[in-house]
Amino acid sequence: MLLRVAIIFLLSLKAQWLLAFSPTADTVFKNTVSDLLEFDFSSANNQTRMQKLEEPKDPSGYLFEAVGIWWQKTTQPLERSLDAQMEALFFEDIDQAVKLSKKEFRHKNTSLSAQAYFTAGMAVGLKGLWYLESGNKKKAFKFAHKAQRYL
């Protein structure tokens, strides 16, 4: 529980510095966090999908969608299992966020490079949380350790 609170707090900080690879990402991020805290999953999903469609090379849209899927899974204890399509989308989003972030690791703009490392670390760490919530402690530890390399 404390870990979830810490993640939401971290994600609620200045999104522009942390994750905004693009001008619209900041607004989408703030709206998505607000929707997730109100448990309005359909609105959050719609916003993140639009972000991905408008800016497919921006890793933050993929991370935002993965956060939404993870949040939905962890906050609905009676509906712990998402359908296979949503679970597959979560893992695709994580992989795509890391892949796109890695392309920016050596960017001349050090701020953008730092954002890329942060986004990759958050994505991999979120994957570890998914496995922890699913009871797979071995995989959770593996991805938590991997996330530390980026953060």
Side-chain angles (χ1 to χ4, degrees), residues 4 16 26 135:
R4 286 187 205 146
Q16 184 176 5
D26 185 42

Side-chain angles (χ1 to χ4, degrees), residues 19 21 57-60 62-63 94-107 112-123 150:
L19 296 169
F21 281 83
K57 294 184 179 184
D58 183 349
S60 56
Y62 298 92
L63 177 61
I94 293 294
D95 293 341
Q96 190 67 6
V98 173
K99 178 182 173 183
L100 292 171
S101 293
K102 283 182 175 181
K103 291 179 179 180
E104 303 297 335
F105 281 178
R106 299 197 191 281
H107 198 279
L112 186 61
S113 178
Q115 291 169 1
Y117 275 101
F118 179 81
T119 301
M122 287 296 294
Y150 298 125

Side-chain angles (χ1 to χ4, degrees), residues 1-15 17-19 29-30 33 36-37 67 70-71 118 122:
M1 179 66 177
L2 184 58
L3 187 55
R4 286 187 205 146
V5 172
I7 287 172
I8 294 302
F9 174 75
L10 181 62
L11 292 176
S12 299
L13 293 174
K14 296 181 181 180
W17 180 79
L18 293 175
L19 296 169
F29 176 75
K30 288 176 183 176
V33 168
L36 292 175
L37 292 175
V67 167
W70 172 79
W71 185 251
F118 179 81
M122 287 296 294

